[in-house]
Amino acid sequence: MPTTTRQWLLNGHPRGRPIAEDDFKLATVELADPQPGEMLLKTHYLGFDPAQKGWMENIADYVAPMNIGDVMRGSGICEVVESNGGKFAKGDMVFGTTGWREYLVTDGEGLTRVETELSPTAVLSVLGTTGLTAYCGLFKVGKPVAGDTVLVSGAAGATGSIVGQLAKIAGCRAVGIAGGPDKCRWLVEEAGYDAAIDYKAGGVKEQIREHCPRGVDVIYDNVGGSILNDMLSQIATGARVVICGGISRYETGSLPAGPENYFNLVFRRASMAGFIVLDWASEFPAIRKRLEGFVKDGTLKYQEDIQHGFENAPDTLQRLFSGQNRGKQMLKL
């Protein structure tokens, strides 16, 4: 049994700037023996989300603030290597909030056993927060009906790519906004979007008008800023605008300016709402089963971008903000 573990600690609050290398500090600490009811876990995979920068900045108030010296917060898939009468048995694979560490001793609070016929990594991607966020944001907030046009920003990202496919399953027309011809091609050819808009090519508002001639019934926004502004300019009467994320603000650290086109909500009798996926936690097991069913019957595809090596955790997080990742960003230890 290991007596020490490496872990990444928070070493800086990246407010108003991009994440820097020295915002993290690698430390080796002693591992305590599991007490009665506790387990020793070995981390196999870490998962990464743009929200982690907000946690580092302490902008997000739906989670506890992070202090300098805290273990970097994040999700993981772990194996139970020793159980002292704990919640899970030796050999079980579990997932949840583990933090960036190779080993940890825990009572299992907040962890769930991996139970899927898909690859175990699916519990961090299509069956994890990514898939749950896509499902709850679209169906609980966006409330699409068959025939609606659903427009998704950040559409080639882990969450956005699932949103469009769920919209198609619901009988909607799905249009995605992504950066670059490769991502746009993948959206149409693999993810089944009806059309893709390359924001790097410019003229986003004109492209939206072209691909959504009857207006947009549901906006699912992962970006904010000028992209959201362009989407709001084309909403249909009675539209629902779902605010999921704002990746445009993560590099600056400041919240984006309010959309100039927000008064279209009045003209079109539309609504705009944000959400935190944890509000539907009690429904997660049932939603995971539905998502797994969609994957197994071939109507839902997902991508995973897996990097390697615990020492590369900070660089792996940075991939989210440079657009390098394709699908859910993960790290295999």
Side-chain angles (χ1 to χ4, degrees), residues 290-326:
R290 292 204 72 186
L291 292 168
E292 182 163 358
F294 294 146
V295 173
K296 287 161 75 174
D297 70 18
T299 54
L300 179 59
K301 296 180 172 66
Y302 64 100
Q303 282 187 309
E304 296 177 341
D305 183 325
I306 301 178
Q307 301 299 301
H308 294 266
F310 185 67
E311 62 281 357
N312 294 320
D315 289 342
T316 304
L317 178 61
Q318 300 249 41
R319 290 172 63 83
L320 295 174
F321 305 107
S322 55
Q324 289 176 274
N325 66 302
R326 290 292 183 92

PDB file of all heavy atoms in Angstrom, residues 290-326:
ATOM      1  N   ARG A 290     -31.290   6.889 -19.433  1.00  0.00           N
ATOM      2  CA  ARG A 290     -31.806   7.339 -20.730  1.00  0.00           C
ATOM      3  C   ARG A 290     -30.656   7.644 -21.684  1.00  0.00           C
ATOM      4  O   ARG A 290     -30.686   7.247 -22.854  1.00  0.00           O
ATOM      5  CB  ARG A 290     -32.667   8.596 -20.564  1.00  0.00           C
ATOM      6  CG  ARG A 290     -33.976   8.375 -19.840  1.00  0.00           C
ATOM      7  CD  ARG A 290     -34.995   9.443 -20.206  1.00  0.00           C
ATOM      8  NE  ARG A 290     -35.477   9.263 -21.576  1.00  0.00           N
ATOM      9  CZ  ARG A 290     -36.276  10.122 -22.196  1.00  0.00           C
ATOM     10  NH1 ARG A 290     -36.690  11.217 -21.587  1.00  0.00           N
ATOM     11  NH2 ARG A 290     -36.673   9.902 -23.431  1.00  0.00           N
ATOM     12  N   LEU A 291     -29.650   8.368 -21.181  1.00  0.00           N
ATOM     13  CA  LEU A 291     -28.507   8.719 -22.028  1.00  0.00           C
ATOM     14  C   LEU A 291     -27.772   7.469 -22.504  1.00  0.00           C
ATOM     15  O   LEU A 291     -27.378   7.369 -23.668  1.00  0.00           O
ATOM     16  CB  LEU A 291     -27.550   9.648 -21.265  1.00  0.00           C
ATOM     17  CG  LEU A 291     -28.079  11.058 -20.967  1.00  0.00           C
ATOM     18  CD1 LEU A 291     -27.174  11.775 -19.978  1.00  0.00           C
ATOM     19  CD2 LEU A 291     -28.206  11.881 -22.247  1.00  0.00           C
ATOM     20  N   GLU A 292     -27.585   6.495 -21.598  1.00  0.00           N
ATOM     21  CA  GLU A 292     -26.900   5.261 -21.985  1.00  0.00           C
ATOM     22  C   GLU A 292     -27.704   4.527 -23.063  1.00  0.00           C
ATOM     23  O   GLU A 292     -27.134   3.977 -24.006  1.00  0.00           O
ATOM     24  CB  GLU A 292     -26.679   4.359 -20.767  1.00  0.00           C
ATOM     25  CG  GLU A 292     -25.929   3.084 -21.103  1.00  0.00           C
ATOM     26  CD  GLU A 292     -25.330   2.378 -19.904  1.00  0.00           C
ATOM     27  OE1 GLU A 292     -25.458   2.883 -18.770  1.00  0.00           O
ATOM     28  OE2 GLU A 292     -24.719   1.321 -20.106  1.00  0.00           O
ATOM     29  N   GLY A 293     -29.022   4.552 -22.923  1.00  0.00           N
ATOM     30  CA  GLY A 293     -29.879   3.931 -23.931  1.00  0.00           C
ATOM     31  C   GLY A 293     -29.711   4.577 -25.302  1.00  0.00           C
ATOM     32  O   GLY A 293     -29.642   3.874 -26.327  1.00  0.00           O
ATOM     33  N   PHE A 294     -29.621   5.910 -25.325  1.00  0.00           N
ATOM     34  CA  PHE A 294     -29.411   6.620 -26.595  1.00  0.00           C
ATOM     35  C   PHE A 294     -28.066   6.244 -27.226  1.00  0.00           C
ATOM     36  O   PHE A 294     -27.967   6.091 -28.447  1.00  0.00           O
ATOM     37  CB  PHE A 294     -29.473   8.139 -26.388  1.00  0.00           C
ATOM     38  CG  PHE A 294     -30.820   8.665 -25.982  1.00  0.00           C
ATOM     39  CD1 PHE A 294     -30.920   9.758 -25.119  1.00  0.00           C
ATOM     40  CD2 PHE A 294     -31.990   8.101 -26.459  1.00  0.00           C
ATOM     41  CE1 PHE A 294     -32.162  10.262 -24.733  1.00  0.00           C
ATOM     42  CE2 PHE A 294     -33.235   8.600 -26.083  1.00  0.00           C
ATOM     43  CZ  PHE A 294     -33.309   9.680 -25.217  1.00  0.00           C
ATOM     44  N   VAL A 295     -27.020   6.106 -26.402  1.00  0.00           N
ATOM     45  CA  VAL A 295     -25.699   5.724 -26.925  1.00  0.00           C
ATOM     46  C   VAL A 295     -25.765   4.309 -27.502  1.00  0.00           C
ATOM     47  O   VAL A 295     -25.270   4.041 -28.604  1.00  0.00           O
ATOM     48  CB  VAL A 295     -24.621   5.803 -25.827  1.00  0.00           C
ATOM     49  CG1 VAL A 295     -23.293   5.247 -26.352  1.00  0.00           C
ATOM     50  CG2 VAL A 295     -24.433   7.250 -25.359  1.00  0.00           C
ATOM     51  N   LYS A 296     -26.401   3.402 -26.765  1.00  0.00           N
ATOM     52  CA  LYS A 296     -26.437   1.995 -27.181  1.00  0.00           C
ATOM     53  C   LYS A 296     -27.259   1.786 -28.453  1.00  0.00           C
ATOM     54  O   LYS A 296     -26.948   0.900 -29.254  1.00  0.00           O
ATOM     55  CB  LYS A 296     -26.963   1.122 -26.038  1.00  0.00           C
ATOM     56  CG  LYS A 296     -25.938   0.960 -24.922  1.00  0.00           C
ATOM     57  CD  LYS A 296     -26.544   0.507 -23.623  1.00  0.00           C
ATOM     58  CE  LYS A 296     -26.918  -0.937 -23.615  1.00  0.00           C
ATOM     59  NZ  LYS A 296     -27.383  -1.372 -22.271  1.00  0.00           N
ATOM     60  N   ASP A 297     -28.302   2.632 -28.648  1.00  0.00           N
ATOM     61  CA  ASP A 297     -29.088   2.444 -29.881  1.00  0.00           C
ATOM     62  C   ASP A 297     -28.551   3.271 -31.047  1.00  0.00           C
ATOM     63  O   ASP A 297     -29.140   3.302 -32.126  1.00  0.00           O
ATOM     64  CB  ASP A 297     -30.585   2.699 -29.644  1.00  0.00           C
ATOM     65  CG  ASP A 297     -30.934   4.169 -29.390  1.00  0.00           C
ATOM     66  OD1 ASP A 297     -30.129   5.056 -29.716  1.00  0.00           O
ATOM     67  OD2 ASP A 297     -32.039   4.422 -28.857  1.00  0.00           O
ATOM     68  N   GLY A 298     -27.416   3.961 -30.823  1.00  0.00           N
ATOM     69  CA  GLY A 298     -26.728   4.641 -31.916  1.00  0.00           C
ATOM     70  C   GLY A 298     -27.207   6.045 -32.209  1.00  0.00           C
ATOM     71  O   GLY A 298     -26.724   6.685 -33.152  1.00  0.00           O
ATOM     72  N   THR A 299     -28.141   6.577 -31.401  1.00  0.00           N
ATOM     73  CA  THR A 299     -28.654   7.922 -31.684  1.00  0.00           C
ATOM     74  C   THR A 299     -27.838   9.010 -30.998  1.00  0.00           C
ATOM     75  O   THR A 299     -28.050  10.193 -31.255  1.00  0.00           O
ATOM     76  CB  THR A 299     -30.129   8.060 -31.252  1.00  0.00           C
ATOM     77  OG1 THR A 299     -30.261   7.677 -29.873  1.00  0.00           O
ATOM     78  CG2 THR A 299     -31.023   7.186 -32.105  1.00  0.00           C
ATOM     79  N   LEU A 300     -26.908   8.632 -30.122  1.00  0.00           N
ATOM     80  CA  LEU A 300     -26.102   9.623 -29.406  1.00  0.00           C
ATOM     81  C   LEU A 300     -24.634   9.211 -29.453  1.00  0.00           C
ATOM     82  O   LEU A 300     -24.266   8.135 -28.977  1.00  0.00           O
ATOM     83  CB  LEU A 300     -26.574   9.743 -27.954  1.00  0.00           C
ATOM     84  CG  LEU A 300     -25.835  10.729 -27.040  1.00  0.00           C
ATOM     85  CD1 LEU A 300     -25.903  12.145 -27.610  1.00  0.00           C
ATOM     86  CD2 LEU A 300     -26.424  10.702 -25.634  1.00  0.00           C
ATOM     87  N   LYS A 301     -23.807  10.073 -30.058  1.00  0.00           N
ATOM     88  CA  LYS A 301     -22.363   9.826 -30.128  1.00  0.00           C
ATOM     89  C   LYS A 301     -21.664  10.814 -29.196  1.00  0.00           C
ATOM     90  O   LYS A 301     -22.167  11.911 -28.953  1.00  0.00           O
ATOM     91  CB  LYS A 301     -21.845  10.010 -31.554  1.00  0.00           C
ATOM     92  CG  LYS A 301     -22.416   9.012 -32.558  1.00  0.00           C
ATOM     93  CD  LYS A 301     -21.850   9.276 -33.948  1.00  0.00           C
ATOM     94  CE  LYS A 301     -22.253   8.186 -34.935  1.00  0.00           C
ATOM     95  NZ  LYS A 301     -23.694   8.166 -35.188  1.00  0.00           N
ATOM     96  N   TYR A 302     -20.508  10.418 -28.683  1.00  0.00           N
ATOM     97  CA  TYR A 302     -19.765  11.330 -27.821  1.00  0.00           C
ATOM     98  C   TYR A 302     -18.272  11.164 -28.074  1.00  0.00           C
ATOM     99  O   TYR A 302     -17.812  10.112 -28.519  1.00  0.00           O
ATOM    100  CB  TYR A 302     -20.104  11.100 -26.347  1.00  0.00           C
ATOM    101  CG  TYR A 302     -19.708   9.747 -25.784  1.00  0.00           C
ATOM    102  CD1 TYR A 302     -18.543   9.599 -25.027  1.00  0.00           C
ATOM    103  CD2 TYR A 302     -20.496   8.620 -25.975  1.00  0.00           C
ATOM    104  CE1 TYR A 302     -18.188   8.372 -24.496  1.00  0.00           C
ATOM    105  CE2 TYR A 302     -20.143   7.395 -25.448  1.00  0.00           C
ATOM    106  CZ  TYR A 302     -18.988   7.270 -24.711  1.00  0.00           C
ATOM    107  OH  TYR A 302     -18.629   6.050 -24.188  1.00  0.00           O
ATOM    108  N   GLN A 303     -17.539  12.233 -27.788  1.00  0.00           N
ATOM    109  CA  GLN A 303     -16.092  12.247 -27.979  1.00  0.00           C
ATOM    110  C   GLN A 303     -15.398  12.419 -26.635  1.00  0.00           C
ATOM    111  O   GLN A 303     -15.894  13.134 -25.754  1.00  0.00           O
ATOM    112  CB  GLN A 303     -15.673  13.415 -28.881  1.00  0.00           C
ATOM    113  CG  GLN A 303     -15.912  13.199 -30.359  1.00  0.00           C
ATOM    114  CD  GLN A 303     -15.308  14.335 -31.174  1.00  0.00           C
ATOM    115  OE1 GLN A 303     -15.552  15.511 -30.895  1.00  0.00           O
ATOM    116  NE2 GLN A 303     -14.497  14.019 -32.153  1.00  0.00           N
ATOM    117  N   GLU A 304     -14.248  11.793 -26.515  1.00  0.00           N
ATOM    118  CA  GLU A 304     -13.420  11.959 -25.321  1.00  0.00           C
ATOM    119  C   GLU A 304     -12.000  12.292 -25.757  1.00  0.00           C
ATOM    120  O   GLU A 304     -11.463  11.670 -26.665  1.00  0.00           O
ATOM    121  CB  GLU A 304     -13.422  10.681 -24.472  1.00  0.00           C
ATOM    122  CG  GLU A 304     -14.794  10.336 -23.926  1.00  0.00           C
ATOM    123  CD  GLU A 304     -14.838   9.039 -23.152  1.00  0.00           C
ATOM    124  OE1 GLU A 304     -13.922   8.197 -23.319  1.00  0.00           O
ATOM    125  OE2 GLU A 304     -15.789   8.859 -22.365  1.00  0.00           O
ATOM    126  N   ASP A 305     -11.428  13.304 -25.129  1.00  0.00           N
ATOM    127  CA  ASP A 305     -10.051  13.729 -25.408  1.00  0.00           C
ATOM    128  C   ASP A 305      -9.232  13.359 -24.168  1.00  0.00           C
ATOM    129  O   ASP A 305      -9.334  14.003 -23.127  1.00  0.00           O
ATOM    130  CB  ASP A 305     -10.033  15.240 -25.653  1.00  0.00           C
ATOM    131  CG  ASP A 305      -8.645  15.762 -26.014  1.00  0.00           C
ATOM    132  OD1 ASP A 305      -7.644  15.247 -25.482  1.00  0.00           O
ATOM    133  OD2 ASP A 305      -8.562  16.704 -26.813  1.00  0.00           O
ATOM    134  N   ILE A 306      -8.444  12.291 -24.272  1.00  0.00           N
ATOM    135  CA  ILE A 306      -7.740  11.775 -23.096  1.00  0.00           C
ATOM    136  C   ILE A 306      -6.245  12.043 -23.208  1.00  0.00           C
ATOM    137  O   ILE A 306      -5.563  11.525 -24.095  1.00  0.00           O
ATOM    138  CB  ILE A 306      -8.007  10.269 -22.904  1.00  0.00           C
ATOM    139  CG1 ILE A 306      -9.523  10.028 -22.730  1.00  0.00           C
ATOM    140  CG2 ILE A 306      -7.251   9.737 -21.687  1.00  0.00           C
ATOM    141  CD1 ILE A 306      -9.921   8.577 -22.587  1.00  0.00           C
ATOM    142  N   GLN A 307      -5.736  12.890 -22.316  1.00  0.00           N
ATOM    143  CA  GLN A 307      -4.305  13.145 -22.187  1.00  0.00           C
ATOM    144  C   GLN A 307      -3.727  12.166 -21.150  1.00  0.00           C
ATOM    145  O   GLN A 307      -4.466  11.410 -20.525  1.00  0.00           O
ATOM    146  CB  GLN A 307      -4.068  14.605 -21.768  1.00  0.00           C
ATOM    147  CG  GLN A 307      -4.640  15.626 -22.739  1.00  0.00           C
ATOM    148  CD  GLN A 307      -4.036  15.540 -24.121  1.00  0.00           C
ATOM    149  OE1 GLN A 307      -2.829  15.683 -24.287  1.00  0.00           O
ATOM    150  NE2 GLN A 307      -4.858  15.305 -25.133  1.00  0.00           N
ATOM    151  N   HIS A 308      -2.404  12.184 -20.993  1.00  0.00           N
ATOM    152  CA  HIS A 308      -1.768  11.185 -20.127  1.00  0.00           C
ATOM    153  C   HIS A 308      -0.755  11.828 -19.182  1.00  0.00           C
ATOM    154  O   HIS A 308      -0.064  12.776 -19.558  1.00  0.00           O
ATOM    155  CB  HIS A 308      -1.059  10.120 -20.987  1.00  0.00           C
ATOM    156  CG  HIS A 308      -2.007   9.282 -21.798  1.00  0.00           C
ATOM    157  ND1 HIS A 308      -2.502   8.072 -21.385  1.00  0.00           N
ATOM    158  CD2 HIS A 308      -2.577   9.517 -23.005  1.00  0.00           C
ATOM    159  CE1 HIS A 308      -3.320   7.581 -22.297  1.00  0.00           C
ATOM    160  NE2 HIS A 308      -3.382   8.447 -23.290  1.00  0.00           N
ATOM    161  N   GLY A 309      -0.690  11.293 -17.952  1.00  0.00           N
ATOM    162  CA  GLY A 309       0.338  11.685 -16.995  1.00  0.00           C
ATOM    163  C   GLY A 309      -0.133  12.705 -15.977  1.00  0.00           C
ATOM    164  O   GLY A 309      -0.534  13.818 -16.343  1.00  0.00           O
ATOM    165  N   PHE A 310      -0.097  12.336 -14.687  1.00  0.00           N
ATOM    166  CA  PHE A 310      -0.588  13.199 -13.613  1.00  0.00           C
ATOM    167  C   PHE A 310       0.083  14.571 -13.621  1.00  0.00           C
ATOM    168  O   PHE A 310      -0.547  15.589 -13.323  1.00  0.00           O
ATOM    169  CB  PHE A 310      -0.367  12.509 -12.261  1.00  0.00           C
ATOM    170  CG  PHE A 310      -0.934  13.259 -11.091  1.00  0.00           C
ATOM    171  CD1 PHE A 310      -2.302  13.429 -10.935  1.00  0.00           C
ATOM    172  CD2 PHE A 310      -0.098  13.810 -10.127  1.00  0.00           C
ATOM    173  CE1 PHE A 310      -2.828  14.128  -9.850  1.00  0.00           C
ATOM    174  CE2 PHE A 310      -0.609  14.506  -9.033  1.00  0.00           C
ATOM    175  CZ  PHE A 310      -1.972  14.663  -8.902  1.00  0.00           C
ATOM    176  N   GLU A 311       1.363  14.600 -13.994  1.00  0.00           N
ATOM    177  CA  GLU A 311       2.103  15.870 -13.997  1.00  0.00           C
ATOM    178  C   GLU A 311       1.547  16.845 -15.031  1.00  0.00           C
ATOM    179  O   GLU A 311       1.825  18.047 -14.983  1.00  0.00           O
ATOM    180  CB  GLU A 311       3.595  15.619 -14.248  1.00  0.00           C
ATOM    181  CG  GLU A 311       3.947  14.993 -15.581  1.00  0.00           C
ATOM    182  CD  GLU A 311       3.721  13.471 -15.641  1.00  0.00           C
ATOM    183  OE1 GLU A 311       3.333  12.864 -14.606  1.00  0.00           O
ATOM    184  OE2 GLU A 311       3.938  12.900 -16.726  1.00  0.00           O
ATOM    185  N   ASN A 312       0.732  16.349 -15.963  1.00  0.00           N
ATOM    186  CA  ASN A 312       0.187  17.194 -17.031  1.00  0.00           C
ATOM    187  C   ASN A 312      -1.212  17.726 -16.722  1.00  0.00           C
ATOM    188  O   ASN A 312      -1.867  18.276 -17.611  1.00  0.00           O
ATOM    189  CB  ASN A 312       0.150  16.407 -18.350  1.00  0.00           C
ATOM    190  CG  ASN A 312       1.538  16.077 -18.850  1.00  0.00           C
ATOM    191  OD1 ASN A 312       2.441  16.906 -18.765  1.00  0.00           O
ATOM    192  ND2 ASN A 312       1.729  14.873 -19.350  1.00  0.00           N
ATOM    193  N   ALA A 313      -1.676  17.596 -15.483  1.00  0.00           N
ATOM    194  CA  ALA A 313      -3.033  18.055 -15.141  1.00  0.00           C
ATOM    195  C   ALA A 313      -3.244  19.546 -15.446  1.00  0.00           C
ATOM    196  O   ALA A 313      -4.252  19.913 -16.078  1.00  0.00           O
ATOM    197  CB  ALA A 313      -3.342  17.747 -13.682  1.00  0.00           C
ATOM    198  N   PRO A 314      -2.349  20.446 -15.023  1.00  0.00           N
ATOM    199  CA  PRO A 314      -2.587  21.872 -15.338  1.00  0.00           C
ATOM    200  C   PRO A 314      -2.661  22.148 -16.837  1.00  0.00           C
ATOM    201  O   PRO A 314      -3.544  22.897 -17.297  1.00  0.00           O
ATOM    202  CB  PRO A 314      -1.384  22.582 -14.699  1.00  0.00           C
ATOM    203  CG  PRO A 314      -0.956  21.664 -13.588  1.00  0.00           C
ATOM    204  CD  PRO A 314      -1.166  20.288 -14.136  1.00  0.00           C
ATOM    205  N   ASP A 315      -1.769  21.536 -17.622  1.00  0.00           N
ATOM    206  CA  ASP A 315      -1.782  21.743 -19.073  1.00  0.00           C
ATOM    207  C   ASP A 315      -3.070  21.196 -19.686  1.00  0.00           C
ATOM    208  O   ASP A 315      -3.594  21.754 -20.656  1.00  0.00           O
ATOM    209  CB  ASP A 315      -0.582  21.061 -19.731  1.00  0.00           C
ATOM    210  CG  ASP A 315       0.732  21.768 -19.427  1.00  0.00           C
ATOM    211  OD1 ASP A 315       0.686  22.940 -19.020  1.00  0.00           O
ATOM    212  OD2 ASP A 315       1.800  21.147 -19.588  1.00  0.00           O
ATOM    213  N   THR A 316      -3.576  20.101 -19.130  1.00  0.00           N
ATOM    214  CA  THR A 316      -4.805  19.498 -19.650  1.00  0.00           C
ATOM    215  C   THR A 316      -5.989  20.421 -19.416  1.00  0.00           C
ATOM    216  O   THR A 316      -6.849  20.587 -20.295  1.00  0.00           O
ATOM    217  CB  THR A 316      -5.040  18.128 -19.003  1.00  0.00           C
ATOM    218  OG1 THR A 316      -3.878  17.308 -19.216  1.00  0.00           O
ATOM    219  CG2 THR A 316      -6.242  17.435 -19.610  1.00  0.00           C
ATOM    220  N   LEU A 317      -6.046  21.068 -18.258  1.00  0.00           N
ATOM    221  CA  LEU A 317      -7.110  22.044 -18.003  1.00  0.00           C
ATOM    222  C   LEU A 317      -7.024  23.196 -19.005  1.00  0.00           C
ATOM    223  O   LEU A 317      -8.049  23.665 -19.526  1.00  0.00           O
ATOM    224  CB  LEU A 317      -7.012  22.579 -16.572  1.00  0.00           C
ATOM    225  CG  LEU A 317      -8.033  23.655 -16.180  1.00  0.00           C
ATOM    226  CD1 LEU A 317      -9.463  23.146 -16.292  1.00  0.00           C
ATOM    227  CD2 LEU A 317      -7.771  24.165 -14.763  1.00  0.00           C
ATOM    228  N   GLN A 318      -5.811  23.641 -19.298  1.00  0.00           N
ATOM    229  CA  GLN A 318      -5.634  24.784 -20.214  1.00  0.00           C
ATOM    230  C   GLN A 318      -6.157  24.485 -21.614  1.00  0.00           C
ATOM    231  O   GLN A 318      -6.542  25.405 -22.346  1.00  0.00           O
ATOM    232  CB  GLN A 318      -4.139  25.135 -20.299  1.00  0.00           C
ATOM    233  CG  GLN A 318      -3.532  25.526 -18.956  1.00  0.00           C
ATOM    234  CD  GLN A 318      -3.163  26.998 -18.909  1.00  0.00           C
ATOM    235  OE1 GLN A 318      -3.930  27.831 -19.396  1.00  0.00           O
ATOM    236  NE2 GLN A 318      -2.029  27.302 -18.339  1.00  0.00           N
ATOM    237  N   ARG A 319      -6.169  23.209 -22.012  1.00  0.00           N
ATOM    238  CA  ARG A 319      -6.650  22.848 -23.351  1.00  0.00           C
ATOM    239  C   ARG A 319      -8.084  23.319 -23.581  1.00  0.00           C
ATOM    240  O   ARG A 319      -8.475  23.627 -24.704  1.00  0.00           O
ATOM    241  CB  ARG A 319      -6.569  21.330 -23.554  1.00  0.00           C
ATOM    242  CG  ARG A 319      -5.163  20.778 -23.670  1.00  0.00           C
ATOM    243  CD  ARG A 319      -5.159  19.249 -23.682  1.00  0.00           C
ATOM    244  NE  ARG A 319      -5.861  18.692 -24.824  1.00  0.00           N
ATOM    245  CZ  ARG A 319      -5.339  18.533 -26.031  1.00  0.00           C
ATOM    246  NH1 ARG A 319      -4.080  18.897 -26.254  1.00  0.00           N
ATOM    247  NH2 ARG A 319      -6.041  18.014 -27.011  1.00  0.00           N
ATOM    248  N   LEU A 320      -8.881  23.386 -22.512  1.00  0.00           N
ATOM    249  CA  LEU A 320     -10.282  23.806 -22.633  1.00  0.00           C
ATOM    250  C   LEU A 320     -10.402  25.243 -23.105  1.00  0.00           C
ATOM    251  O   LEU A 320     -11.384  25.612 -23.755  1.00  0.00           O
ATOM    252  CB  LEU A 320     -10.994  23.670 -21.285  1.00  0.00           C
ATOM    253  CG  LEU A 320     -11.159  22.260 -20.714  1.00  0.00           C
ATOM    254  CD1 LEU A 320     -11.753  22.342 -19.312  1.00  0.00           C
ATOM    255  CD2 LEU A 320     -12.048  21.417 -21.616  1.00  0.00           C
ATOM    256  N   PHE A 321      -9.427  26.070 -22.757  1.00  0.00           N
ATOM    257  CA  PHE A 321      -9.536  27.509 -23.021  1.00  0.00           C
ATOM    258  C   PHE A 321      -8.817  27.933 -24.302  1.00  0.00           C
ATOM    259  O   PHE A 321      -8.894  29.086 -24.701  1.00  0.00           O
ATOM    260  CB  PHE A 321      -9.023  28.294 -21.814  1.00  0.00           C
ATOM    261  CG  PHE A 321      -9.721  27.891 -20.544  1.00  0.00           C
ATOM    262  CD1 PHE A 321      -9.073  27.123 -19.586  1.00  0.00           C
ATOM    263  CD2 PHE A 321     -11.045  28.225 -20.327  1.00  0.00           C
ATOM    264  CE1 PHE A 321      -9.728  26.720 -18.435  1.00  0.00           C
ATOM    265  CE2 PHE A 321     -11.711  27.824 -19.186  1.00  0.00           C
ATOM    266  CZ  PHE A 321     -11.053  27.068 -18.233  1.00  0.00           C
ATOM    267  N   SER A 322      -8.118  26.965 -24.931  1.00  0.00           N
ATOM    268  CA  SER A 322      -7.467  27.264 -26.211  1.00  0.00           C
ATOM    269  C   SER A 322      -8.175  26.544 -27.349  1.00  0.00           C
ATOM    270  O   SER A 322      -7.729  26.599 -28.492  1.00  0.00           O
ATOM    271  CB  SER A 322      -5.995  26.843 -26.159  1.00  0.00           C
ATOM    272  OG  SER A 322      -5.876  25.483 -25.805  1.00  0.00           O
ATOM    273  N   GLY A 323      -9.276  25.848 -27.018  1.00  0.00           N
ATOM    274  CA  GLY A 323     -10.051  25.161 -28.055  1.00  0.00           C
ATOM    275  C   GLY A 323      -9.374  23.920 -28.599  1.00  0.00           C
ATOM    276  O   GLY A 323      -9.745  23.418 -29.661  1.00  0.00           O
ATOM    277  N   GLN A 324      -8.379  23.375 -27.892  1.00  0.00           N
ATOM    278  CA  GLN A 324      -7.650  22.202 -28.392  1.00  0.00           C
ATOM    279  C   GLN A 324      -8.433  20.909 -28.217  1.00  0.00           C
ATOM    280  O   GLN A 324      -8.227  19.947 -28.952  1.00  0.00           O
ATOM    281  CB  GLN A 324      -6.315  22.060 -27.653  1.00  0.00           C
ATOM    282  CG  GLN A 324      -5.277  23.103 -28.008  1.00  0.00           C
ATOM    283  CD  GLN A 324      -4.024  22.925 -27.160  1.00  0.00           C
ATOM    284  OE1 GLN A 324      -3.924  23.430 -26.055  1.00  0.00           O
ATOM    285  NE2 GLN A 324      -3.069  22.202 -27.688  1.00  0.00           N
ATOM    286  N   ASN A 325      -9.310  20.860 -27.223  1.00  0.00           N
ATOM    287  CA  ASN A 325      -9.975  19.590 -26.925  1.00  0.00           C
ATOM    288  C   ASN A 325     -11.096  19.293 -27.904  1.00  0.00           C
ATOM    289  O   ASN A 325     -11.753  20.189 -28.419  1.00  0.00           O
ATOM    290  CB  ASN A 325     -10.533  19.609 -25.494  1.00  0.00           C
ATOM    291  CG  ASN A 325     -11.646  20.624 -25.320  1.00  0.00           C
ATOM    292  OD1 ASN A 325     -11.453  21.813 -25.561  1.00  0.00           O
ATOM    293  ND2 ASN A 325     -12.817  20.168 -24.916  1.00  0.00           N
ATOM    294  N   ARG A 326     -11.309  18.005 -28.139  1.00  0.00           N
ATOM    295  CA  ARG A 326     -12.454  17.533 -28.906  1.00  0.00           C
ATOM    296  C   ARG A 326     -13.288  16.668 -27.974  1.00  0.00           C
ATOM    297  O   ARG A 326     -12.901  15.565 -27.626  1.00  0.00           O
ATOM    298  CB  ARG A 326     -11.996  16.697 -30.111  1.00  0.00           C
ATOM    299  CG  ARG A 326     -11.312  17.492 -31.201  1.00  0.00           C
ATOM    300  CD  ARG A 326     -12.293  18.433 -31.901  1.00  0.00           C
ATOM    301  NE  ARG A 326     -11.664  19.150 -32.986  1.00  0.00           N
ATOM    302  CZ  ARG A 326     -11.656  18.725 -34.239  1.00  0.00           C
ATOM    303  NH1 ARG A 326     -12.207  17.574 -34.553  1.00  0.00           N
ATOM    304  NH2 ARG A 326     -11.082  19.441 -35.181  1.00  0.00           N
TER     305      ARG A 326
END
